[in-house]
Amino acid sequence: MTTFVITIPGTFTTDKAAGAHAALERGLSSRHTRASESEGLELLTVNEDRTFSVRIEVDAEDRYEAELDAVEFLSTSLKDAGVPEGEAPLGPPAVTGIDSDA
C-alpha cells in the first residue's frame, strides 16, 4: 500500500461557499495525519479570489485509485460543510507526494 498526497484545486463561486472553509477544514481533518503535519502541509488553502486547493493523504494501491478516493472524499466534505455541488467546482487532481512502504 502506498500513501499519496493528492492536491485538488477548485473555486468557490459564491461568497457563502467561500465562507464555509472553517467547516470544510474540520471535515478534512481526518486526513491530516502525523506525516502531513510533520511536513507542514496545509489541508486547505483559500485565496482572495475564492480559488482554493486541498491536499489530502490517501492510502491506495495506485495513483488512479488515490485520485478517485481523494475527489470523492473532498466532494463529500464540501457537501457536509454545506457547500452545494455547483458552488465549488473542482479541477483535476494531481499527485503531489508519494510515500511507499516498498
Side-chain angles (χ1 to χ4, degrees):
M1 193 68 78
T2 301
T3 300
F4 294 86
V5 176
I6 307 296
T7 301
I8 305 168
T11 303
F12 292 120
T13 60
T14 65
D15 289 334
K16 179 184 172 199
H21 70 269
L24 178 58
E25 261 187 334
R26 283 190 301 276
L28 296 171
S29 65
S30 68
R31 297 291 179 107
H32 198 50
T33 65
R34 283 188 207 128
S36 64
E37 288 175 354
S38 70
E39 293 293 323
L41 292 178
E42 293 293 325
L43 288 173
L44 174 66
T45 302
V46 181
N47 302 306
E48 291 179 15
D49 63 356
R50 297 193 304 213
T51 58
F52 65 90
S53 59
V54 175
R55 281 156 295 287
I56 300 172
E57 282 188 43
V58 178
D59 290 325
E61 292 296 323
D62 59 35
R63 172 187 166 183
Y64 178 76
E65 182 183 321
E67 289 175 345
L68 285 177
D69 183 39
V71 169
E72 182 179 320
F73 179 76
L74 176 55
S75 296
T76 299
S77 295
L78 284 163
K79 193 177 305 178
D80 291 348
V83 179
E85 191 173 324
E87 292 185 14
L90 303 177
V95 175
T96 54
I98 299 174
D99 183 18
S100 178
D101 292 334

